Amino acid sequence: MSMYRERVYRGSARATMLRTAGTRERRSHLTAPRVPTVGIDIGGTKVMAGVVDADGNILEKLRTETPDKSKSPKVVEDTITELVLDLSDRHDVHAVGIGAAGWVDADRNRVLFAPHLSWRNEPLRDRLAGRLAVPVMVDNDANTAAWAEWRFGAGRGEDHLVMITLGTGIGGAILEDGQVKRGKFGVAGEFGHMQVVPGGHRCPCGNRGCWEQYSSGNALVREARELAAAESPVAYGIIDRVGGNIPEITGPLITELARGGDAMCVELLQDIGQWLGVGIANLAAALDPSCFVIGGGVSAADDLLIGPARDAFRRHLTGRGYRPEARIVKAQLGPEAGMVGAADLARLVARRFRRANRRRVERYERYARAGRG
């Protein structure tokens, strides 16, 4: 029997055990086994997989393109399986954690909806548990990134933390007392779709005026391209940089030019930062955390973005001047945060797998001793 087939067989035999483990509250990370696990971060354009140790160190990392969203979910599952089996050839992997860009149900089994993939109520955990020889954990990618920042990054030591991820849109997560708050149906933290401007810009979600239409990578690029298309005098610098090809204007380019002193790009990041601060003030009124961690690609602008966000936060905070203010800090783990967090959360389900293995070995040894007797 080939190595691949042998692993598939063993994984199928454990599917029932994994489903049971996945529905229970996980034990504290402090008592989780210190074993290597694989974290998978699935986005709209890439799948990143890495082996992570108990201290959050990445031992090996692989990356591949995400299969086209028009393809079946099985194609993405095949990609995940191939990456895990590849890493397992060189590492003693004890569990797999998956951070998916989409809504994951409260049992952390089904991806209810993924905007960039053809996943609709997809039982991802159970499907992969039937193909891999280790336990599988599935969660939203913002939740896994927030967990990583709380365990190993900018949120260490905080007992009430909110993470905001600024990419093409806005994602988010809530941690309280060492637990990710997922809500009744598992989809808490969709901060990007809070309405901040009634009747404002249309959002792909179907509503108008969503926060991510004013503070995100898409918002940043949209404003720059509109100014360039109008041939605004303030946009001459970026127009020259892209040779008049407006679709080549991107978020990283705007950040680069802003760091070089381009006045329009600096102003655009200030605008995005101010809207970020307004949204954070709203979240502080509702959740009252001790710390906001800002991650995602747009956070690479550092104080060009976070400075204006802090100023706007202080101006709009309910009860300002009469209450403690939460810290607003940049995430530390970069684009690997989701992968590291998924691996660490998976470590919490590895205990049951290890105990089952130990019981199986002990039972085999008893039978062997009885046979010799």
Side-chain angles (χ1 to χ4, degrees):
M1 181 181 289
S2 70
M3 180 70 71
Y4 175 78
R5 289 185 178 178
E6 181 182 357
R7 293 182 185 191
V8 169
Y9 171 78
R10 292 186 299 173
S12 299
R14 293 170 183 153
T16 302
M17 179 190 73
L18 299 180
R19 280 194 293 273
T20 302
T23 59
R24 296 186 178 181
E25 186 66 28
R26 307 308 179 200
R27 293 200 178 201
S28 166
H29 65 281
L30 296 174
T31 58
R34 295 181 60 82
V35 293
T37 52
V38 167
I40 309 280
D41 185 13
I42 307 171
T45 59
K46 52 82 181 169
V47 180
M48 187 187 304
V51 179
V52 181
D53 69 15
D55 297 313
N57 300 308
I58 300 171
L59 307 181
E60 184 180 354
K61 181 175 68 174
L62 301 175
R63 178 173 174 154
T64 187
E65 291 184 359
T66 303
D68 186 81
K69 65 181 180 181
S70 65
K71 296 180 180 177
S72 71
K74 184 177 182 301
V75 177
V76 184
E77 293 165 13
D78 290 342
T79 300
I80 295 169
T81 301
E82 290 168 6
L83 290 171
V84 173
L85 294 180
D86 188 356
L87 291 168
S88 297
D89 286 340
R90 296 177 296 282
H91 302 273
D92 183 20
V93 173
H94 288 251
V96 174
I98 297 172
W103 293 354
V104 178
D105 71 358
D107 289 337
R108 281 175 280 172
N109 176 26
R110 293 179 176 272
V111 181
L112 302 174
F113 172 78
H116 304 295
L117 296 167
S118 56
W119 283 341
R120 303 293 183 268
N121 202 28
E122 183 69 20
L124 183 61
R125 186 191 69 202
D126 285 354
R127 288 190 186 279
L128 289 174
R131 302 180 65 175
L132 300 172
V134 292
V136 176
M137 185 285 310
V138 179
D139 209 337
N140 171 266
D141 58 348
N143 288 343
T144 62
W147 180 269
E149 291 291 343
W150 177 69
R151 286 274 284 126
F152 309 113
R156 280 176 294 183
E158 300 289 347
D159 55 2
H160 288 76
L161 176 150
V162 170
M163 184 163 186
I164 299 165
T165 56
L166 299 179
T168 55
I170 295 179
I174 307 162
L175 270 82
E176 291 184 5
D177 299 323
Q179 295 290 327
V180 178
K181 298 301 181 181
R182 299 177 175 85
K184 174 65 176 179
F185 305 108
V187 296
E190 292 295 330
F191 305 139
H193 299 289
M194 299 186 304
Q195 189 183 62
V196 296
V197 181
H201 290 295
R202 176 72 73 181
C203 180
C205 78
N207 294 328
R208 288 187 178 274
C210 292
W211 187 24
E212 68 177 41
Q213 292 304 306
Y214 298 87
S215 184
S216 67
N218 277 352
L220 180 67
V221 172
R222 181 192 66 227
E223 295 296 312
R225 289 179 178 177
E226 286 181 0
L227 286 168
E231 297 184 352
S232 169
V234 300
Y236 285 165
I238 201 166
I239 291 172
D240 288 343
R241 178 61 180 271
V242 297
N245 190 359
I246 293 175
E248 290 187 6
I249 295 175
T250 63
L253 176 60
I254 296 168
T255 298
E256 177 190 336
L257 292 176
R259 285 177 174 153
D262 183 282
M264 183 198 79
C265 293
V266 170
E267 184 176 334
L268 289 177
L269 282 168
Q270 288 175 340
D271 289 344
I272 297 297
Q274 287 169 5
W275 278 113
L276 176 61
V278 170
I280 291 175
N282 290 340
L283 291 173
L287 302 173
D288 191 30
S290 58
C291 179
F292 289 93
V293 177
I294 312 301
V298 183
S299 69
D302 299 317
D303 277 345
L304 290 168
L305 172 83
I306 295 179
R310 291 190 180 115
D311 293 340
F313 170 68
R314 295 188 185 103
R315 288 197 307 273
H316 292 89
L317 180 63
T318 302
R320 50 194 172 275
Y322 297 96
R323 60 179 288 177
E325 290 185 8
R327 296 190 305 128
I328 301 175
V329 297
K330 181 188 173 185
Q332 293 179 356
L333 301 182
E336 285 85 17
M339 180 185 74
V340 171
D344 199 59
L345 284 166
R347 192 168 290 109
L348 302 180
V349 304
R351 175 190 313 279
R352 183 172 296 273
F353 174 71
R354 287 162 59 83
R355 285 178 175 172
N357 261 359
R358 186 163 59 247
R359 286 194 297 268
R360 187 177 293 108
V361 170
E362 290 171 352
R363 188 163 57 246
Y364 174 82
E365 290 176 346
R366 286 198 301 271
Y367 291 156
R369 286 195 298 270
R372 287 196 299 271

